[in-house]
Amino acid sequence: MIAALLLSFGVIFVAELGDKSQLMAMTYALRYRWWVVLLAITVATTAVHAASVFFGHFLGMSLPTDLMSVLAGLAMLVFGLWTIYGDRLDDEDQNRATRVGASVFLAVMSAFFLAELGDKTMLATITLATDHDWLGVWIGSTVGMVAADALAIGVGVLLGKHLPERVIAIGAAVLFFGFAMWLTATGLTGASTPMIAATITAAVVIIGVGTFLIRRDRRLRADSDSEAAVPERSLGVHEG
């Protein structure tokens, strides 16, 4: 249980760094009492990860351990590329962070619950629960996420600005790739040649698709910035 707790804490803490829910935590902390925000996040996280662990635990009971370890490694590879790709608050998430009704606690809790559904931290928790002690994963993943969001809240309260997202994203991605190598190597120990070949093929495909999406996203951002800069340059020439 202790090993599962520590592993889950590390994986989820890393997964949460630079995630949109961490950005939401910082946004809320700039406007409301930090302890209310942290308590709401804790309740929402406990509920989401309880469901994740339940699903992952029973899924893992029906699949071979070695296969689950390989799948977990491939999932960590996806999470690493996902982290490099970047995670930003879209309009809907921004509205949740700025629109609060009569109860700040319920508003923050519901916002984080919705934000975590289908997020990489939820998927990582499900993956871990398939092959590790479910109670350790539940506690570790919940504490890991709350700790990461508490870090964001602290920075939001003390500094009033975001963490250096790019540096954090790169560091988190490196750790994810490390988890991916470790889990995949564990699962492939003594594996058959077809399984090794299939795993390598899957990893190459994941890296290829991830690299393509990252490069495309960078080009789209560059084009968008260039288009936004054109009117400003045109206006400057006209005024001159």
Side-chain angles (χ1 to χ4, degrees), residues 14-33:
V14 170
E16 186 65 6
L17 295 178
D19 191 76
K20 65 181 179 182
S21 52
Q22 191 183 47
L23 301 182
M24 290 176 68
M26 187 177 294
T27 301
Y28 277 119
L30 294 173
R31 303 184 59 191
Y32 307 109
R33 295 181 179 178

Side-chain angles (χ1 to χ4, degrees), residues 42 55 62 65 73 99 121 146 158 162 209 212:
T42 301
F55 179 77
S62 61
T65 301
R99 183 180 67 250
T121 51
V146 172
L158 296 176
H162 290 348
V209 173
F212 169 77

Side-chain angles (χ1 to χ4, degrees), residues 107-175:
V108 176
M109 182 179 67
S110 61
F112 272 85
F113 185 86
L114 294 174
E116 283 304 300
L117 294 178
D119 194 58
K120 64 176 177 286
T121 51
M122 179 180 183
L123 299 178
T125 302
I126 292 175
T127 301
L128 289 168
T130 59
D131 196 31
H132 297 83
D133 180 80
W134 68 269
L135 182 59
V137 172
W138 183 23
I139 296 174
S141 62
T142 300
V143 174
M145 182 171 173
V146 172
D149 288 336
L151 176 63
I153 291 173
V155 172
V157 171
L158 296 176
L159 303 180
K161 60 183 180 181
H162 290 348
L163 292 167
E165 296 178 25
R166 193 58 190 161
V167 174
I168 291 176
I170 293 175
V174 170
L175 291 177

Side-chain angles (χ1 to χ4, degrees), residues 5-201:
L5 190 155
L6 294 176
L7 175 62
S8 301
F9 175 87
V11 170
I12 299 304
F13 183 85
V14 170
E16 186 65 6
L17 295 178
D19 191 76
K20 65 181 179 182
S21 52
Q22 191 183 47
L23 301 182
M24 290 176 68
M26 187 177 294
T27 301
Y28 277 119
L30 294 173
R31 303 184 59 191
Y32 307 109
R33 295 181 179 178
W34 67 267
W35 59 270
V36 175
V37 176
L38 185 60
L39 180 60
I41 291 173
T42 301
V43 173
T45 300
T46 301
V48 172
H49 287 193
S52 302
V53 167
F54 177 82
F55 179 77
H57 177 67
F58 284 100
L59 175 64
M61 290 176 63
S62 61
L63 295 175
T65 301
D66 292 343
L67 177 60
M68 289 312 306
S69 183
V70 170
L71 292 177
L74 294 175
M76 295 304 162
L77 179 59
V78 172
F79 298 150
L81 293 169
W82 189 345
T83 302
I84 294 176
Y85 179 83
D87 206 352
R88 301 171 298 280
L89 288 175
D90 56 24
D91 293 338
E92 183 179 357
D93 294 323
Q94 189 65 46
N95 288 336
R96 288 178 189 156
T98 57
R99 183 180 67 250
V100 177
S103 173
V104 173
F105 175 83
L106 291 177
V108 176
M109 182 179 67
S110 61
F112 272 85
F113 185 86
L114 294 174
E116 283 304 300
L117 294 178
D119 194 58
K120 64 176 177 286
T121 51
M122 179 180 183
L123 299 178
T125 302
I126 292 175
T127 301
L128 289 168
T130 59
D131 196 31
H132 297 83
D133 180 80
W134 68 269
L135 182 59
V137 172
W138 183 23
I139 296 174
S141 62
T142 300
V143 174
M145 182 171 173
V146 172
D149 288 336
L151 176 63
I153 291 173
V155 172
V157 171
L158 296 176
L159 303 180
K161 60 183 180 181
H162 290 348
L163 292 167
E165 296 178 25
R166 193 58 190 161
V167 174
I168 291 176
I170 293 175
V174 170
L175 291 177
F176 267 125
F177 294 146
F179 283 125
M181 293 176 61
W182 175 53
L183 291 170
T184 303
T186 300
L188 292 179
T189 301
S192 62
T193 300
M195 183 174 179
I196 295 176
T199 301
I200 294 176
T201 301

